[in-house]
Amino acid sequence: MPRVNPCSSPLLFPFNFSTVFKMKKFNFRKVLDGLTASSPGSGSSSGSNSGGAGSGSVHPGGTAGVLREEIQESLTSDYFQICKTVRHGFPYQPTALAFDPVQKILAIGTRTGAIRILGRPGVDCHCQHESGAAVLQLQFLINEGALVSASSDDTLHLWNLRQKRPAILHSLKFNRERITYCHLPFQSKWLYVGTERGNTHIVNIESFILSGYVIMWNKAIELSTKTHPGPVVHLSDSPRDEGKLLIGYENGTVVFWDLKSKRAELRVYYDEAIHSIDWHHEGKQFMCSHSDGSLTLWNLKSPNRPFQTTVPHGKSQREGRKSEPCKPILKVEYKTCRNSEPFIIFSGGLSYDKACRRPSLTIMHGKAITVLEMDHPIVEFLTLCETPYPNEFQEPYAVAVLLEKDLIVVDLTQTNFPIFENPYPMDIHESPVTCTAYFADCPPDLILVLYSIGVKHKKQGYSSKEWPVSGGAWNLGAQTYPEIIITGHADGSIKFWDASAMTLQMLYKLKTSKVFEKQKVGDGKQACEIVEEDPFAVQMVYWCPESRVFCVSGVSAYVIIYKFSRHEITTEIVSLEVRLQCDVEDIITPEPETSPPFPDLSSQLPSSRSLSGSTNTVSSEGVTKDSIPCLSVKTRPVRMPPGYQADLVIQLVWVDGEPPQQITSLAVSSAYGIVAFGNCTGLVVVDFIQKTVLLSMGTIDLYRSSDLYQRQPRSPRKNKQFIAGLTELNDSPVPLELERCKSPTSEARENSYNRSRSSSISSIDKDSKEAVTALYFMESFARKNDSTVSPCLFVGTSLGMVLLISLNLPSSDEQRFTEPVMVLPSGTLLSLKGAVLTFSCMDRTGSLMQPPHEVWRDPNNADENEKTWKRKLVMNYSSASQETGDHQYAIICSEKQAKVFSLPSQTCLYVHNITEASFILQAEVVVMCNSACLACFCANGHIMIMSLPSLRPMLDVNYLPLTDMRIARTFCFTNEGQALYLVSPTEIQRLTYSQEMCDNIQDMLGDLFTPIETPEAQNRGFLKGLFGGSGQTFDREELFGEATAGKASRSLAQHIPGPGSIEGMKGAAGGVMGELTRARIALDERGQRLGELEEKTAGMMTSAEAFSKHAHELMLKYKDKKWYQF
């Protein structure tokens, strides 16, 4: 038997044709559409696997007809398109680092195959290898606008950086050997590639084809050597002679190879494994770092033994005895200065007996040795030098150090080696991100206000010089509205970020943990019983930018109300403790005839207000935790600096040995002065102006006689409630079914996920509690057929039920501070499938209604306190609509479907079954192009946009498969077609669903490459030119080209054209290959034109010869005739 949609059953055929024909602008097609949509046979197709192909159902007649006449929806599918915009944060799991000393841009490769390219602030580009293979090494083509990457799948890639979104021009896949090291000499088109077998191959950068010239390992070492030298760990040409190549092998062998004669000029042997090698700029000496923590300096004139051997961090031994071994020196750089001693910089090499020492970078300058301890292990470091030429004094000025979780740059020009202030948001993950919020088109003064407060708390001691990575170009572009991102963290901190114009800069940091007493060692077990670690972790935030009221809920079942002030104060923190319980054993669904519809409010309020003084209860067997919070609020006066200052702390307390359930929903109204929050036990409403609890009630008690579900008695849960994985940095994919318990909305969402898969909504609440999953304050119609709007609280539950609670506020400002606020459930019930996620309201014209708010004023301004001050409220609705009792439309979205109700009639106008096979994780009503729409992110990876109020699908894109709950916890939509999520534990990915922004994205991104003249080489002088070697006359093309070296074996490597090569063919790609391609195209076109010209010339010559022949014949014919014979 066909199933009838609940909201359509009372309106199957409520009209007659006489009524229809009297409607204005009658359209018979609309009537047929309405009949078709509302009939049982027109059920939605939302049961498809895509999860986003549901159909809207329009219920005709009455208000629906009026709605169609009054609201003209302006949004169409042409307004929407999904594309990524920019990625912020520290590259997750970094593996490689490169720097272009002329362009002054930095590249970072990662284990996931990503490359981040950084320049001046605003120049920040993310690109990804399709294979996802880890990046082993990066090499810039210095000042050429190109980058070579070597990945762990033994593939070389050539990236074109002369476009705002880099693309791969060519790839070269090695089939039989594994790549271990690459080296590209400055201003050379030949790339040296070392392999695990010990061989060295040479690749032409322009064509990305292997040369036939190969240095085999068995030719490089002596014939008498019986062991394999190991993989190639270093390659570099001699600064003195480009025709000589230094090859370092892992086992300690170094070969100085003559490229012309194809033989080893000299060999160096050492009994410790080599990790890295670096030349002195004169090309006469080179330095090696070894696995025993030693540094060896070798002279080419005496290769039999090291010229100098040092163990920088080894204990001094007696003469003749070898120094005690230390940890391996993983990398060393040997940089010379014209006016001072050379710099020797290396990582590692610490003594084994100092096990607790942190990872360090050692800087040796003359006799001074400076050890810089790092907070994280060192992945790679590079010394930034003034010149790109290896045969000149290097003049190092900074060291870029890539750590596992940070990027720092050390200033070498100052004796204390300070670090530069990093302009990039590399510290998003300073503490793991647990929640996010995104606000577009904020009040314009907020960014400046937050920055002026936050700048006072910035760290000091940075280098006074400008950030040295200053390449690229960037401008503001057309997008100029202010944007703010808020991140909540595991340590209880909150960060406000300026996200305007595709950038991200931290404005202000708030530490919520300062409200509570520090956890002492051995104490705090009560907090650990609800949360294993991070008891201050932020779970949800709610921010009203207009009133600057900020609210935080934490994992330890607390809520903090913050107010913004420019003045410092010292005051005590007001706290409330709320006992929220639901004695379900004694609850049986009340019958309307025998039971009162609602518990007496007078009996609720006094008990709630007296909770702050409750004490522990002690049983005969021991102490049973009861009426105590998880954390202790500071009782002494606290100094609060300018910025956000705690106004009220609300904590849920233990009940009969049971820890409080974590908070699943949160809403604040600055206009009403009320905060509401709920969990899987019930709902709490608090007046934060009078600091009193207005309502503390179990979810079941919120229902009056309209309870649709028969609830069975059950005992309270005895297990501990806690959210595992809220702060995990582990990025390994976990099955969604196992990860649901890690949802930010606690056990309630877990239960709702399971329930939402049930085909029968009447058999839901048999194994779990009903949680409050969504809250919303709005001026609306609290009861059916009300004539005027009034303050209301919309409450959504995990069963898909919607309740309206009426808020009776005092009429005047003076009374608001003294008279009690009455909170009464109105009895209004609406229902949807799945847990309710979000609410919103539209007026009769289809414009999105904003909740009322209070205009911000500084609560600690002495001048204002002396005067008579009144709260200034912005109600966001016209007085005419209130007086005439115009209707409004409530938009409600759950895990499964979206509905639009007409208020106050409570008629369901539209319903869209969004998904059956999956469930919605995030939903938000947003504004784009001055029109409202509903944006949803589904667990199967689909992003869906629906128009309002008709719920017509505008966009359905399979964007991102949900691999872990981090994405679900942090995905959020905002206005102007923007969204974001935490793509990795350290990075935020921003995206847009606006077609206009997708079209203009190129104008918003920075340029990675800017035309800069390559600096001229220093004059070598007559003697150096005469005796400095043959580097200036070395011709690599002649030596490595196909004519001399022949072709490489086809089975050795496979050339793969990249997607960017097509753009290069069109002239859009730059770099070495792009320039060559354009030259080839020009030559081809020129040749084609010359060919056409030659054909035309030949044709003209043929015509001229024929004309000459005919003219000659004509001349002979009439040669001897007289004039009168013609």
Side-chain angles (χ1 to χ4, degrees):
M1 184 175 178
R3 179 173 61 88
V4 180
N5 194 303
C7 77
S8 63
S9 55
L11 295 174
L12 286 177
F13 299 100
F15 62 92
N16 55 48
F17 281 100
S18 62
T19 304
V20 172
F21 281 102
K22 291 179 183 178
M23 293 171 62
K24 291 183 179 181
K25 299 181 182 179
F26 169 74
N27 189 327
F28 192 73
R29 183 177 177 182
K30 291 184 178 181
V31 177
L32 293 179
D33 289 344
L35 287 171
T36 304
S38 62
S39 63
S42 64
S44 71
S45 59
S46 59
S48 63
N49 291 333
S50 66
S55 63
S57 178
V58 182
H59 300 278
T63 311
V66 176
L67 179 68
R68 283 198 157 193
E69 293 299 326
E70 292 179 348
I71 299 179
Q72 298 295 328
E73 296 179 2
S74 59
L75 293 178
T76 64
S77 58
D78 296 334
Y79 283 78
F80 300 96
Q81 182 182 342
I82 295 287
C83 74
K84 296 178 181 179
T85 54
V86 67
R87 183 173 293 196
H88 302 297
F90 180 75
Y92 184 54
Q93 295 180 330
T95 55
L97 182 69
F99 181 72
D100 187 326
V102 179
Q103 288 289 321
K104 294 190 183 301
I105 56 176
L106 191 79
I108 301 174
T110 73
R111 194 176 300 172
T112 58
I115 298 177
R116 283 283 290 283
I117 304 173
L118 304 170
R120 68 177 64 248
V123 179
D124 187 342
C125 179
H126 169 268
C127 41
Q128 176 74 41
H129 292 91
E130 290 185 2
S131 65
V135 178
L136 297 179
Q137 194 176 352
L138 295 171
Q139 285 270 307
F140 276 105
L141 277 68
I142 297 175
N143 204 28
E144 294 287 351
L147 175 72
V148 174
S149 63
S151 52
S152 61
D153 59 352
D154 306 307
T155 306
L156 298 173
H157 306 274
L158 178 64
W159 294 83
N160 174 24
L161 305 184
R162 297 201 179 198
Q163 54 196 59
K164 293 190 175 182
R165 289 189 181 274
I168 294 177
L169 295 174
H170 296 280
S171 297
L172 187 66
K173 169 72 173 175
F174 281 75
N175 297 322
R176 295 185 299 185
E177 298 194 54
R178 308 214 64 180
I179 299 172
T180 56
Y181 195 87
C182 298
H183 170 64
L184 180 66
F186 179 49
Q187 294 182 327
S188 169
K189 67 176 184 180
W190 298 97
L191 175 71
Y192 300 108
V193 181
T195 68
E196 193 174 41
R197 292 186 179 181
N199 302 325
T200 301
H201 301 274
I202 301 172
V203 178
N204 188 314
I205 289 295
E206 294 179 349
S207 61
F208 236 57
I209 296 176
L210 271 179
S211 167
Y213 192 110
V214 182
I215 304 174
M216 304 299 292
W217 68 271
N218 54 352
K219 299 290 182 64
I221 65 174
E222 288 184 343
L223 295 176
S224 60
T225 305
K226 298 181 180 180
T227 59
H228 190 278
V232 175
V233 296
H234 178 82
L235 291 168
S236 62
D237 54 338
S238 169
R240 192 180 184 190
D241 187 352
E242 295 176 350
K244 306 293 176 60
L245 183 69
L246 194 69
I247 308 172
Y249 296 94
E250 189 180 56
N251 73 340
T253 301
V254 180
V255 175
F256 195 49
W257 183 264
D258 189 327
L259 293 168
K260 283 186 178 181
S261 62
K262 299 182 181 181
R263 63 180 182 83
E265 186 169 302
L266 61 88
R267 298 179 180 91
V268 166
Y269 297 98
Y270 195 70
D271 55 0
E272 293 292 340
I274 292 176
H275 285 280
S276 70
I277 303 175
D278 200 17
W279 280 100
H280 187 280
H281 82 277
E282 292 181 349
K284 299 177 182 179
Q285 297 177 341
F286 61 87
M287 182 174 290
C288 302
S289 68
H290 300 278
S291 57
D292 63 345
S294 64
L295 296 173
T296 55
L297 184 64
W298 299 82
N299 195 317
L300 295 181
K301 292 183 178 180
S302 55
N304 295 329
R305 60 189 181 89
F307 175 74
Q308 182 180 354
T309 302
T310 58
V311 183
H313 294 294
K315 292 182 179 179
S316 58
Q317 302 287 343
R318 295 178 182 176
E319 293 184 5
R321 295 185 61 183
K322 189 176 180 180
S323 298
E324 184 177 327
C326 294
K327 296 177 183 178
I329 295 180
L330 302 179
K331 184 178 182 179
V332 63
E333 291 205 346
Y334 188 23
K335 302 301 178 184
T336 56
C337 303
R338 185 180 300 275
N339 300 319
S340 67
E341 296 289 329
F343 280 90
I344 299 174
I345 305 170
F346 62 88
S347 60
L350 296 179
S351 175
Y352 279 106
D353 62 354
K354 298 178 181 178
C356 297
R357 287 280 293 271
R358 294 186 292 179
S360 64
L361 183 78
T362 303
I363 302 174
M364 300 173 63
H365 188 211
K367 295 182 179 180
I369 299 179
T370 304
V371 178
L372 304 178
E373 292 189 342
M374 305 294 170
D375 293 331
H376 309 284
I378 297 174
V379 176
E380 174 70 288
F381 75 87
L382 287 174
T383 306
L384 312 187
C385 301
E386 295 288 352
T387 177
Y389 295 95
N391 58 354
E392 298 177 355
F393 283 102
Q394 299 299 290
E395 303 295 346
Y397 60 89
V399 180
V401 187
L402 179 64
L403 309 177
E404 279 190 0
K405 296 180 182 179
D406 201 0
L407 172 69
I408 66 170
V409 180
V410 181
D411 186 355
L412 293 179
T413 62
Q414 300 183 40
T415 55
N416 59 338
F417 302 129
I419 65 172
F420 291 89
E421 185 176 5
N422 198 326
Y424 315 122
M426 293 292 182
D427 57 346
I428 292 176
H429 62 287
E430 183 180 16
S431 174
V433 177
T434 55
C435 69
T436 58
Y438 192 5
F439 300 86
D441 205 7
C442 300
D445 60 330
L446 266 180
I447 291 178
L448 183 60
V449 168
L450 290 171
Y451 178 78
S452 63
I453 298 296
V455 74
K456 300 176 183 178
H457 304 286
K458 277 194 172 183
K459 295 179 181 178
Q460 304 297 323
Y462 291 112
S463 171
S464 58
K465 296 189 176 181
E466 293 185 359
W467 178 255
V469 185
S470 57
W474 177 77
N475 53 38
L476 285 174
Q479 181 186 339
T480 56
Y481 53 81
E483 300 173 71
I484 291 178
I485 293 173
I486 300 176
T487 55
H489 299 265
D491 62 353
S493 61
I494 308 277
K495 293 181 180 179
F496 291 76
W497 306 85
D498 176 11
S500 308
M502 296 292 177
T503 62
L504 193 69
Q505 295 293 323
M506 194 174 78
L507 297 171
Y508 173 71
K509 183 177 180 180
L510 172 67
K511 295 181 179 180
T512 62
S513 59
K514 290 188 174 181
V515 171
F516 303 100
E517 298 286 358
K518 291 183 179 180
Q519 298 288 320
K520 297 180 180 179
V521 179
D523 294 344
K525 293 182 179 179
Q526 57 191 25
C528 296
E529 292 185 22
I530 180 174
V531 187
E532 283 190 344
E533 56 184 12
D534 301 321
F536 305 113
V538 176
Q539 205 168 4
M540 278 181 286
V541 297
Y542 192 101
W543 190 40
C544 177
E546 291 79 12
S547 65
R548 304 184 188 176
V549 171
F550 185 65
C551 189
V552 180
S553 73
V555 74
S556 297
Y558 65 82
V559 171
I560 308 176
I561 304 290
Y562 286 92
K563 290 186 177 180
F564 189 85
S565 175
R566 297 176 184 269
H567 304 280
E568 178 180 313
I569 60 169
T570 300
T571 183
E572 292 185 359
I573 301 173
V574 182
S575 64
L576 293 174
E577 296 176 1
V578 180
R579 183 184 180 92
L580 184 61
Q581 68 180 110
C582 181
D583 298 327
V584 290
E585 291 95 343
D586 302 329
I587 292 180
I588 301 176
T589 303
E591 296 293 336
E593 300 84 7
T594 59
S595 301
F598 185 74
D600 185 14
L601 186 65
S602 62
S603 64
Q604 285 285 334
L605 293 181
S607 62
S608 299
R609 289 171 180 164
S610 63
L611 288 173
S612 58
S614 55
T615 57
N616 299 352
T617 59
V618 183
S619 63
S620 57
E621 298 177 358
V623 177
T624 300
K625 293 178 180 175
D626 187 72
S627 300
I628 58 173
C630 297
L631 301 173
S632 300
V633 178
K634 292 179 179 178
T635 56
R636 62 186 182 279
V638 178
R639 186 188 70 86
M640 299 183 184
Y644 274 105
Q645 300 168 348
D647 185 61
L648 177 65
V649 180
I650 309 162
Q651 290 183 282
L652 298 180
V653 297
W654 287 65
V655 177
D656 297 331
E658 287 280 323
Q661 306 298 307
Q662 292 180 359
I663 294 168
T664 57
S665 56
L666 177 68
V668 181
S669 173
S670 60
Y672 306 153
I674 294 176
V675 57
F677 59 93
N679 59 11
C680 64
T681 305
L683 173 69
V684 177
V685 181
V686 174
D687 181 349
F688 63 81
I689 293 179
Q690 299 186 29
K691 309 295 191 293
T692 56
V693 179
L694 303 177
L695 182 71
S696 174
M697 187 177 293
T699 312
I700 298 176
D701 296 331
L702 295 174
Y703 295 92
R704 303 183 71 181
S705 58
S706 304
D707 193 350
L708 300 183
Y709 304 123
Q710 181 73 25
R711 286 166 175 77
Q712 299 179 359
R714 59 186 185 272
S715 60
R717 290 179 174 268
K718 298 300 180 185
N719 60 318
K720 302 171 186 176
Q721 301 299 327
F722 107 161
I723 297 180
L726 186 65
T727 62
E728 285 181 357
L729 281 179
N730 184 13
D731 199 40
S732 58
V734 181
L736 188 60
E737 298 293 334
L738 300 178
E739 279 287 314
R740 288 213 185 107
C741 60
K742 301 182 183 181
S743 167
T745 48
S746 179
E747 177 205 21
R749 284 302 300 273
E750 176 192 2
N751 296 332
S752 65
Y753 291 162
N754 297 329
R755 288 198 298 274
S756 62
R757 277 155 178 72
S758 173
S759 59
S760 175
I761 198 169
S762 62
S763 61
I764 292 177
D765 191 32
K766 290 185 178 181
D767 61 346
S768 59
K769 299 177 183 179
E770 182 176 10
V772 177
T773 57
L775 295 168
Y776 179 65
F777 287 101
M778 177 53 74
E779 294 282 314
S780 187
F781 301 93
R783 295 172 179 82
K784 194 170 185 179
N785 299 323
D786 274 1
S787 58
T788 58
V789 296
S790 61
C792 294
L793 172 62
F794 287 73
V795 181
T797 74
S798 56
L799 292 183
M801 299 305 298
V802 177
L803 303 92
L804 266 70
I805 294 180
S806 176
L807 307 173
N808 188 1
L809 302 172
S811 57
S812 65
D813 282 340
E814 292 79 7
Q815 294 176 338
R816 178 64 187 88
F817 291 92
T818 56
E819 297 294 324
V821 177
M822 303 302 293
V823 179
L824 292 170
S826 65
T828 297
L829 286 177
L830 307 172
S831 64
L832 293 86
K833 288 193 297 183
V836 178
L837 299 179
T838 189
F839 298 99
S840 194
C841 286
M842 302 175 71
D843 62 19
R844 65 187 301 273
T845 65
S847 299
L848 189 65
M849 298 175 61
Q850 299 297 333
H853 65 268
E854 179 185 3
V855 177
W856 175 79
R857 64 175 284 272
D858 196 327
N860 303 320
N861 194 331
D863 296 336
E864 289 187 1
N865 289 336
E866 292 176 359
K867 302 176 183 178
T868 302
W869 178 84
K870 292 186 178 181
R871 298 173 70 229
K872 185 178 180 181
L873 306 181
V874 178
M875 304 309 292
N876 292 320
Y877 64 86
S878 62
S879 58
S881 64
Q882 184 182 14
E883 292 172 359
T884 58
D886 267 341
H887 58 268
Q888 60 182 216
Y889 306 105
I891 299 101
I892 308 173
C893 184
S894 72
E895 289 180 324
K896 294 293 186 180
Q897 63 179 189
K899 287 186 178 182
V900 177
F901 292 91
S902 176
L903 300 179
S905 66
Q906 299 180 12
T907 305
C908 180
L909 301 176
Y910 297 92
V911 58
H912 181 81
N913 293 317
I914 301 173
T915 178
E916 287 290 347
S918 186
F919 57 97
I920 297 172
L921 293 165
Q922 296 293 336
E924 193 70 35
V925 176
V926 294
V927 175
M928 198 177 82
C929 301
N930 298 319
S931 297
C933 57
L934 177 63
C936 301
F937 174 56
C938 198
N940 60 9
H942 283 246
I943 292 179
M944 293 159 282
I945 310 292
M946 284 148 279
S947 68
L948 291 176
S950 66
L951 297 175
R952 289 182 295 109
M954 298 283 100
L955 179 75
D956 185 354
V957 175
N958 189 2
Y959 171 75
L960 177 74
L962 184 66
T963 55
D964 53 59
M965 289 308 298
R966 181 190 64 250
I967 298 173
R969 186 173 63 245
T970 58
F971 199 104
C972 52
F973 295 97
T974 189
N975 297 331
E976 308 300 335
Q978 302 221 57
L980 65 81
Y981 61 95
L982 203 67
V983 68
S984 74
T986 62
E987 296 169 287
I988 289 176
Q989 177 66 58
R990 292 167 67 177
L991 61 140
T992 180
Y993 49 91
S994 165
Q995 177 69 59
E996 180 182 4
M997 184 173 288
C998 289
D999 295 338
N1000 299 328
I1001 189 67
Q1002 292 292 331
D1003 298 331
M1004 302 177 187
L1005 300 176
D1007 292 300
L1008 297 173
F1009 177 82
T1010 54
I1012 300 174
E1013 289 189 9
T1014 302
E1016 294 183 1
Q1018 296 176 5
N1019 189 359
R1020 302 181 68 198
F1022 174 75
L1023 293 178
K1024 286 189 176 180
L1026 186 63
F1027 301 107
S1030 59
Q1032 300 299 316
T1033 60
F1034 178 66
D1035 187 358
R1036 293 188 179 94
E1037 180 68 34
E1038 180 182 354
L1039 190 60
F1040 302 145
E1042 185 176 327
T1044 305
K1047 292 184 178 180
S1049 172
R1050 292 184 178 181
S1051 62
L1052 183 60
Q1054 177 187 359
H1055 175 259
I1056 306 170
S1061 60
I1062 300 175
E1063 297 178 18
M1065 289 294 292
K1066 294 178 180 178
V1072 175
M1073 192 58 207
E1075 296 293 340
L1076 182 64
T1077 303
R1078 281 197 288 272
R1080 286 177 177 172
I1081 293 173
L1083 287 174
D1084 292 342
E1085 292 175 351
R1086 182 183 178 189
Q1088 185 177 359
R1089 288 195 295 268
L1090 287 174
E1092 293 173 356
L1093 182 61
E1094 185 178 357
E1095 291 177 0
K1096 290 180 180 179
T1097 304
M1100 291 176 65
M1101 290 179 62
T1102 304
S1103 300
E1105 290 176 358
F1107 179 81
S1108 174
K1109 181 180 179 181
H1110 288 300
H1112 184 68
E1113 291 175 353
L1114 188 63
M1115 184 268 294
L1116 293 176
K1117 181 178 180 181
Y1118 295 101
K1119 179 179 179 182
D1120 297 326
K1121 291 187 177 182
K1122 303 296 182 181
W1123 62 269
Y1124 54 85
Q1125 291 179 333
F1126 284 95

